[in-house]
Amino acid sequence: MAREVHEREDLLRDATALVQRVELEILISDEAEFASKSHVESALPDTLFAGFRIQGEMSVYFGNDPVYQFTRVGSLRRAFSHGQIIKAQQGQLISWQRHRADQRVEMIQHKLNSHEQCQWLTAMCQRLLSLQHVLETNAYQLVGQFPADGDVVSCLHQWLVTHQEIQVADRPGIC
């Protein structure tokens, strides 16, 4: 495992497993007003990336953090948030945090209790709802998409509308 954390790569160019992908610049002039309208505690980042695998599995990157990855039926399978890796395991969320010790990196595991999991999922759903609002109000600028002649924004919006309540997957893999 790498000892250094680097900025993410150019996902629009490099995330070829995501056969449809889009990068957006979020255009919110008054974030406080936006947050109060959408009942969201945390602001959206300046840029957002989302994409779909061939079978419909969706991933969304709110800047560098957080990142959410879903199964084809819309269950959360994996996430990256606040320096932690979050994985689904039998419908439960397990967080993995890097801990540096001497010359090695250890991964500390923590199973979220029902209250922690509920809070975590609520924050994620609020962020996804904020994204839905951005798309519905055209408060974004298209940076790029693949395929170039596609309409990935509409696919993303439809996914968000369809998946209002997110369940936790049985495992972190895409199958």
Side-chain angles (χ1 to χ4, degrees):
M1 174 174 282
R3 292 184 188 198
E4 297 178 27
V5 177
H6 299 283
E7 294 295 312
R8 69 176 168 86
E9 67 274 19
D10 181 351
L11 293 170
L12 195 57
R13 180 193 67 218
D14 298 335
T16 57
L18 301 173
V19 296
Q20 294 183 67
R21 48 196 185 271
V22 65
E23 186 171 349
L24 305 173
E25 179 183 347
I26 307 300
L27 305 174
I28 300 172
S29 57
D30 186 348
E31 291 191 31
E33 178 183 344
F34 176 76
S36 66
K37 285 182 181 176
S38 61
H39 309 290
V40 175
E41 296 174 5
S42 58
L44 291 173
D46 294 336
T47 61
L48 179 128
F49 173 85
F52 296 89
R53 291 178 176 268
I54 192 81
Q55 297 295 322
E57 301 93 341
M58 197 269 287
S59 297
V60 61
Y61 295 66
F62 289 86
N64 290 328
D65 189 326
V67 174
Y68 305 119
Q69 297 178 341
F70 301 91
T71 65
R72 69 179 131 227
V73 296
S75 298
L76 178 68
R77 66 182 189 84
R78 179 186 313 239
F80 304 92
S81 179
H82 299 95
Q84 297 179 350
I85 299 168
I86 310 290
K87 292 184 179 181
Q89 184 176 345
Q90 299 174 348
Q92 293 289 132
L93 293 178
I94 311 292
S95 73
W96 295 81
Q97 178 135 13
R98 290 180 181 96
H99 175 70
R100 297 186 198 295
D102 299 323
Q103 298 293 327
R104 65 183 192 276
V105 175
E106 296 175 346
M107 297 300 288
I108 308 298
Q109 177 181 336
H110 168 70
K111 182 177 179 179
L112 277 65
N113 65 38
S114 60
H115 179 71
E116 292 169 326
Q117 181 163 315
C118 182
Q119 284 186 314
W120 198 93
L121 290 171
T122 298
M124 178 195 66
C125 288
Q126 288 177 333
R127 191 168 275 114
L128 293 172
L129 186 60
S130 294
L131 173 56
Q132 181 181 335
H133 180 75
V134 163
L135 299 180
E136 289 171 351
T137 59
N138 294 314
Y140 67 90
Q141 181 174 349
L142 181 67
V143 174
Q145 70 176 348
F146 184 87
D149 61 347
D151 189 3
V152 185
V153 172
S154 290
C155 293
L156 177 59
H157 180 258
Q158 183 60 42
W159 191 96
L160 292 166
V161 168
T162 305
H163 299 92
Q164 293 290 315
E165 292 187 29
I166 305 293
Q167 303 297 315
V168 177
D170 287 332
R171 58 182 176 249
I174 60 173
C175 298

